[in-house]
Amino acid sequence: MPGANETKKYQTLGENVIPLHYSLRVTPNQDTFLYLCNESIDVTVRRPTRQISLNAADLRIKSAEIESGSHVQRVTVISNKDQTITLKFKKSIVGKSQIKIDFEGSNNSALYGFYRSSYNYKGSNKHILTTQFEAANARNAFPCFDEPAFKAIFSVALVVDKGLECISNMPISRETDIGGGKMEVVFFDTPRMSSYLLYLGVGNYDYATGNVGDLKVRVVTTPGNRKLAFLSLEYAKRFIKFFEAYFGIKYPLPKLDLIAIPDFSAGAMENWGAITFRETEILADKNSSLAVLQRIAEVIAHELAHQWFGDLVTMKWWDDLWLNESFATFMSYKAMDGVFPEWKMKVEYTQQVIATAFAADQLKSTHPISVNVRSPADVDQIFDEISYEKGGTVLNMIEDYVGKEIFREGLHRYLKKHAYSNATKYDLWRAIDEVARSRHKDVMVYDVASFWINKSGYPSIDVKRGRHGVTLRQSRYFLLNGEHDNTVWPIPVNYLVSGKRHRVIINKRSSTINVGEGKWIKLNAGQAGLYRVSYDREDAERLGELILSGSLGNVDSWGVEHDIFAMSRSGRVHADDYLEFAERYCLNGGYPLNADVLGSIAWIYDRLYGEGNVRSKELLIMHANEILGKLGWSRKPRESTFDTLLRPAAILRSGLAGYEPTLDKAVRMFHDHMKSKVIIDPNIRGAVYYLAAWSEGKKIFDLLRSRYLRESLPEEKIRLLKSLAFFSDSRLMRRAFDFSLSKDVRIQDSYILPAIGASNPFGRAILLGWTKKNWNTLLKRYASGTHMLGRYIDNLGVLRTRKDLAEVKRFFRAKKNFREDLRNSLNNTLEQIDSNIRFMDANR
């Protein structure tokens, strides 16, 4: 049991004043983008006090008073530097009280708080008003107790111009014409919920509408985009049915809106009953690429999972953000696998979630899944792969350890017990533990889960044969080989001995297992565990022969290859040894092995670009062309989703490695498509665009840019924007990077070109200089609430020289260039550059 950790204290607004009910009457002005608000907050005051602190930022308080019993007092408002205001009054209050505040706020264009988003309709520029409050930006819209444990009921009224429509978390209760061309729109009260889940929307909308039983479901778009909403509507309806059945709890609210927002810093946000999305994450039709359809399904499933896990039951504090995000990640793939079994998302989970967790958590500068959070800046830094993908991977491991039915029943018990309230990770482990004990299942759920959630990093197991069996010795895996950590993990280990499956808990530094007469052993059978495995050469070659013959499953084959590449990446194995293993055993494997080998060889080729590494180039072209030889360039009737996803990767890698026939074909297809002679399959269209840019250069820069400016379909618009990051000319890459900061690229999309261009050797050559030159602009553009500035530091992780490393350190050592919410990104990036230098030194 956790003891002291479970009751640790945080720097919050305290527990003396508890909000019960907010009433907000908001009057926005679509001309000035200023709004007035009359707010009242019913609170309970536990001990007598003459002051109350609330969170507030970027607001102009006009008046405030407090009513307690029959006494009304005027309030002195003091604004503090830590995004709080203090209300001071002369007579102490206690018990039920009401705070009343009139204030003015602005609908900024910075993508957080209560902000404005623009779109073009029939040649005119229009706006909608929308909100983004997670993690700590409700305070930018109204004074509040902006912490997740302060759940309260919200009553919302919006006073708007006639002809405008309003959306909030609950259905509309009444609409009243109040004269002067204004309507008052009043919504039903919400259930108890956290402030960051409140939603306000004002504008003109189109709708695709359906039902799940009595539940009304809408996909909401700006005018003109309704035709792209019906596919997402069907996804949402099917996922709602899945989650209701899986959780054993009906969707908790009387309506559900999924709202496409033109300007949005995140991918999506789970506001209860009014989920918001980037347009690219929800608008599509049957002609969209499979990758886009799967991405949209994933995001919708992720946000719908939050309606139970995060909204109905919410973490008490942001150190358990993973309770929201890891579960939504884990459950989104489970839902997709249930609704779209032909997609085989259990396999995709290996490639997309588990592989990402391995990469993110291999750094010394990583953090635990459950992290100590003291401030909003701390919160902003943990919306990352650790909170999402690593957490999801650990949950997958725990489910595999305890069994699917026990895991599911434990979730049901947890949700039922804490509905409309808050919980911690320990509450979850208790619920699963209780179910396991009731089934007489001998598992250590609490101990295993708590350890993995609270500890950074993951182990690697060295496998050594001896006279008395096979010795398994664990140590922490670091990207920077040579770092040390004495942690001993409790590891649920599944392993195969000559095809027979076994299971054991390894909780010592060194353990021995008896494999009898088994000729071969493979650890992490099924790849449910978050640990790497290092075999000696003989055992690795035995596994290689099994991969080559097709005797080892594709996921387990992926695990063997992926671990050997990781050992090469960290300097434990020479890159040539990995390439030899891949060439001898892995080039004819199925998915996800073939995709991972393609990516791993490409990583070596890209990292050693310009260093004369002929072998990786030749092997990359050979593997990509073998895949294309099997798949062709055209999608076949009833082909597997894996083939559809693998084809564009093979085309792109073949062309970027310099294979002329691939480049020539891509260029011809591109020009025929642009002349409307042919329509390129959306599944390979991106690869064709990117190779045309790489090959044609300056000839088509302006064409791609102009097409981007004219395009309205979200998927195609982003595809065209990305193509500007693929020029094999540093001057063109500089033009592309500069274009990303122009008024022609939405702020939400402006990070895309530098992020993709960083992997282009011609973009990498100018990346650091461009970033430094534009840093002041970037600092002003991206407030911490957007979670976006750190991406520009992450981009620098591709740099590979000691000069680059020294320059990055020097630049961010200056206080004017640093911000606290960038600390994690900077530490991770410095470590990545250091590892690149070591890789170059070892393999140049």
Side-chain angles (χ1 to χ4, degrees), residues 375-418:
S375 70
D378 289 342
V379 181
D380 290 337
Q381 295 184 82
I382 60 173
F383 285 89
D384 60 9
E385 292 92 345
I386 301 301
S387 296
Y388 287 73
E389 281 82 5
K390 183 189 176 182
T393 299
V394 169
L395 290 173
N396 185 60
M397 181 169 66
I398 297 299
E399 182 193 51
D400 180 76
Y401 174 51
V402 302
K404 291 183 178 180
E405 288 306 312
I406 289 175
F407 187 84
R408 178 178 178 177
E409 189 176 331
L411 298 189
H412 177 77
R413 182 176 296 202
Y414 166 85
L415 289 171
K416 279 283 192 182
K417 182 175 182 179
H418 300 284

Side-chain angles (χ1 to χ4, degrees), residues 431-687:
I432 299 174
D433 224 2
E434 288 167 3
V435 174
R437 286 201 304 272
S438 72
R439 301 280 188 89
H440 306 290
K441 180 91 171 182
D442 185 20
V443 289
M444 303 181 295
V445 180
Y446 204 104
D447 294 337
V448 172
S450 296
F451 191 98
W452 281 87
I453 293 299
N454 289 311
K455 175 63 186 173
S456 299
Y458 57 82
S460 177
I461 299 178
D462 288 330
V463 180
K464 299 291 182 185
R465 289 180 180 266
R467 290 195 310 173
H468 304 293
V470 173
T471 299
L472 309 179
R473 181 174 177 80
Q474 64 161 292
S475 58
R476 181 172 172 181
Y477 178 87
F478 285 105
L479 179 60
L480 293 177
N481 192 22
E483 299 285 350
H484 295 286
D485 185 323
N486 292 323
T487 302
V488 175
W489 278 262
I491 312 173
V493 174
N494 296 321
Y495 62 98
L496 296 172
V497 176
S498 295
K500 293 183 179 180
R501 192 180 181 102
H502 305 268
R503 177 174 294 189
V504 67
I505 278 279
I506 302 295
N507 53 12
K508 298 178 181 178
R509 175 74 63 199
S510 183
S511 304
T512 300
I513 56 175
N514 185 359
V515 299
E517 299 299 319
K519 294 181 179 180
W520 58 268
I521 181 170
K522 197 276 174 184
L523 264 62
N524 206 357
Q527 293 301 132
L530 184 60
Y531 58 91
R532 297 203 182 279
V533 184
S534 177
Y535 302 94
D536 62 26
R537 191 175 189 89
E538 185 177 348
D539 274 320
E541 288 180 351
R542 285 195 184 105
L543 293 172
E545 293 292 345
L546 294 170
I547 294 171
L548 182 62
S549 66
S551 303
L552 193 64
N554 287 328
V555 170
D556 280 313
S557 297
W558 172 90
V560 174
E561 175 272 332
H562 197 72
D563 284 343
I564 293 174
F565 173 72
M567 299 305 164
S568 168
R569 174 75 179 85
S570 62
R572 294 165 175 82
V573 172
H574 197 279
D576 278 346
D577 292 332
Y578 167 77
L579 294 173
E580 179 184 352
F581 184 88
E583 184 174 6
R584 287 180 63 187
Y585 302 119
C586 301
L587 297 190
N588 293 310
Y591 194 90
L593 174 63
N594 47 16
D596 202 64
V597 171
L598 187 66
S600 297
I601 299 172
W603 187 93
I604 294 172
Y605 170 69
D606 291 343
R607 198 60 75 237
L608 296 174
Y609 189 90
E611 298 292 331
N613 191 282
V614 176
R615 186 177 188 188
S616 61
K617 177 178 180 176
E618 291 178 343
L619 191 57
L620 179 58
I621 291 173
M622 181 173 73
H623 185 41
N625 288 347
E626 284 182 352
I627 292 172
L628 283 179
K630 294 175 183 177
L631 303 182
W633 284 57
S634 300
R635 193 177 186 185
K636 299 175 179 63
R638 296 182 297 278
E639 76 176 11
S640 73
T641 59
F642 298 150
D643 288 350
T644 304
L645 295 171
L646 186 59
R647 179 181 292 110
I651 292 172
L652 184 62
R653 288 303 178 184
S654 174
L656 291 180
Y659 187 63
E660 290 295 336
T662 300
L663 289 169
D664 291 343
K665 185 169 183 175
V667 169
R668 287 196 305 272
M669 292 179 70
F670 172 82
H671 286 295
D672 286 346
H673 179 78
M674 290 295 161
K675 295 172 184 176
S676 300
K677 292 182 179 180
V678 297
I679 302 297
I680 301 174
D681 175 7
N683 291 287
I684 67 167
R685 195 178 299 171

Side-chain angles (χ1 to χ4, degrees), residues 32 294 394 499 528 544 710 715:
T32 64
Q294 288 189 346
V394 169
R710 295 198 307 269
E715 177 184 359

Side-chain angles (χ1 to χ4, degrees), residues 21 52 61 66 154 227 269 544 592 616 641 749 823:
H21 184 276
I52 295 174
I61 309 298
I66 191 161
F154 289 83
K227 62 184 179 296
M269 172 59 204
S616 61
T641 59
D749 299 327
R823 184 174 301 281

